Amino acid sequence: MASAGESWMKEFNEASKLADDINGMISERTSLPSSGPETQRHLSATRRKLTILGTRLDSLESLLAKLPSRQPITEKDMNRRKDMLANLRSRVNQMASTLNMSSFGNRDSLFGPEIKPADAMNRASGLDNQGLVGFQRQIMKEQDEGLEKLEETVISTKHIALAVNEELDLHSRLIDNLDQHVDVTDSRLQRVQKRLAILNKRTKGGCSCFCLLLSVIGIVILVVVIYMLIKYL
């Protein structure tokens, strides 16, 4: 059974491979038209993979924080894994910036560091009235910055949802067009079948007339032969 450290490295390698795939998809954008259904589908697929990668990075960070409690690990190895994760997250943020998506980060990068009541009391202790006012303004400023980052994330999520919706609309239109083509083809096939049936009837009728004509000619020839035999005998 793989250890927690080996499982973490496996997850990290998979995330790194996904980052390489996304980077390749971003490079492929230069060979696509500036707009159009194909370009939109490519962009939507790239954004979906980038969102999945951001979720995996959050999971890796959470697993790394729990790793020391699951198995012995040296400080050097721990720092090495943190650096690997930080470098990969930096790559993801760069790719997200290229796609006009907000950076993927953990809670602290989204809302700012969480201020616990005990920490706030410790920081506020010993401050005079003017210091308390300044401290409150600082907390409000940090909260405003967190709300701005949250707004960016919401806007990015909205863009992803719109892209997915556009892709669904495109698929719906393609299916409708396919249905129309199928209906047209079915109508043409029915017309061809009707024409073949009419042609078959005409062919059968012509064959009957031809056979009747041959029979009449045969009877006439037979009568002539009998008449000649009777006459000369």
Side-chain angles (χ1 to χ4, degrees), residues 51-112:
T51 303
I52 293 172
L53 180 56
T55 304
R56 287 192 176 185
L57 290 181
D58 292 338
S59 176
L60 283 170
E61 189 169 1
S62 176
L63 291 174
L64 185 60
K66 299 176 182 178
L67 189 59
S69 62
R70 295 184 177 181
Q71 72 172 50
I73 184 172
T74 63
E75 183 179 358
K76 181 179 179 181
D77 190 19
M78 190 70 176
N79 292 333
R80 180 178 65 86
R81 294 172 187 256
K82 289 181 179 179
D83 291 339
M84 292 167 57
L85 188 58
N87 291 334
L88 184 56
R89 188 178 289 279
S90 177
R91 286 182 59 193
V92 172
N93 290 337
Q94 290 176 359
M95 291 187 289
S97 177
T98 303
L99 297 176
N100 295 325
M101 296 172 65
S102 63
S103 299
F104 292 98
N106 53 21
R107 184 199 178 283
D108 290 345
S109 64
L110 180 62
F111 299 103

Side-chain angles (χ1 to χ4, degrees), residues 219-233:
I219 293 172
V220 171
I221 294 174
L222 182 60
V223 170
V224 171
V225 170
I226 294 173
Y227 176 77
M228 294 297 293
L229 288 174
I230 295 173
K231 182 179 180 180
Y232 292 102
L233 292 174

Side-chain angles (χ1 to χ4, degrees), residues 148-228:
E148 289 176 359
K149 292 181 179 179
L150 177 60
E151 181 183 7
E152 292 177 0
T153 303
V154 171
I155 293 174
S156 175
T157 305
K158 176 184 177 181
H159 290 164
I160 295 174
L162 290 174
V164 172
N165 185 52
E166 290 176 1
E167 186 173 359
L168 290 175
D169 290 340
L170 175 61
H171 289 172
S172 179
R173 290 195 297 270
L174 291 175
I175 292 174
D176 291 339
N177 292 335
L178 180 60
D179 288 340
Q180 292 178 0
H181 288 307
V182 170
D183 292 339
V184 171
T185 303
D186 184 61
S187 178
R188 290 177 178 176
L189 182 60
Q190 289 180 359
R191 289 199 297 268
V192 171
Q193 288 177 343
K194 290 180 180 179
R195 291 177 181 177
L196 288 175
I198 294 173
L199 181 61
N200 187 32
K201 289 181 180 179
R202 289 179 179 177
T203 302
K204 289 182 178 179
C207 181
S208 299
C209 293
F210 183 71
C211 292
L212 180 60
L213 180 61
L214 288 178
S215 300
V216 172
I217 294 174
I219 293 172
V220 171
I221 294 174
L222 182 60
V223 170
V224 171
V225 170
I226 294 173
Y227 176 77
M228 294 297 293

